Amino acid sequence: MKYDDKKTIVLGVIGSDVHSVGIRILDEAFSEAGFNVVNIGVLSSQEDFINAAIETDADAILVSSLYGHGELDCKGFKEKCIEAGLGDLILYVGGNLVVGKQDWPTTEKKFLDMGFDRAYPPGTLPEKPIEDLKNDLGIK
């Protein structure tokens, strides 16, 4: 049960990725923007994200991946969310999501086709997903 008007987001780094600096920056930026941030840290499984979202009654899940294996780590994520009763939860993904050089529109399409609502390329500043999330959640 939520006791304030803040929207809750679950934030973490998926799979075997140990890149922690970016997630700390996102945690701070989203917190300063007025979100209740539940940072599950690095080396997080899909189940870790989903369980945290259920436990905190989250409004969105933000998945980060910088080691290039996001495509493998995120496969089936939306389906698991649906199975857990979180089919309407907003899903964002961002970072260095694929191995090698691929053009961003192709990579973005892969993740949108997987059921993510938005996907962000490497180097995206926090202001963009913050603005998008506020719009997607109807926050003025």
Side-chain angles (χ1 to χ4, degrees):
M1 175 130 198
K2 293 184 185 178
Y3 296 101
D4 58 28
D5 293 337
K6 285 185 174 183
K7 298 292 186 179
T8 298
I9 62 169
V10 172
L11 177 67
V13 181
I14 198 163
S16 299
D17 197 336
V18 296
H19 290 91
S20 63
V21 174
I23 207 75
R24 287 197 304 250
I25 292 168
L26 290 172
D27 185 335
E28 186 174 315
F30 275 90
S31 294
E32 287 179 8
F35 291 93
N36 176 31
V37 178
V38 178
N39 185 342
I40 62 172
V42 300
L43 300 170
S44 301
S45 68
Q46 292 183 9
E47 292 78 12
D48 292 337
F49 283 94
I50 291 167
N51 290 338
I54 291 168
E55 290 169 15
T56 63
D57 192 24
D59 299 288
I61 292 176
L62 282 66
V63 177
S64 177
S65 181
L66 286 175
Y67 76 140
H69 297 287
E71 186 175 1
L72 292 172
D73 293 335
C74 292
K75 190 171 188 169
F77 193 88
K78 178 68 173 186
E79 290 78 9
K80 285 185 182 174
C81 287
I82 292 168
E83 288 172 15
L86 302 174
D88 293 333
L89 198 69
I90 293 172
L91 297 178
Y92 285 10
V93 64
N96 193 20
L97 301 173
V98 294
V99 175
K101 295 277 184 195
Q102 295 187 25
D103 68 335
W104 177 247
T106 301
T107 300
E108 181 181 36
K109 183 177 183 334
K110 283 180 190 176
F111 285 87
L112 296 179
D113 288 348
M114 278 191 238
F116 284 87
D117 296 290
R118 295 184 189 262
Y120 299 93
T124 301
L125 296 176
E127 292 76 15
K128 178 62 177 151
I130 288 169
E131 177 187 333
D132 290 341
L133 190 57
K134 285 182 176 182
N135 287 333
D136 290 347
L137 291 172
I139 300 170
K140 301 263 184 229

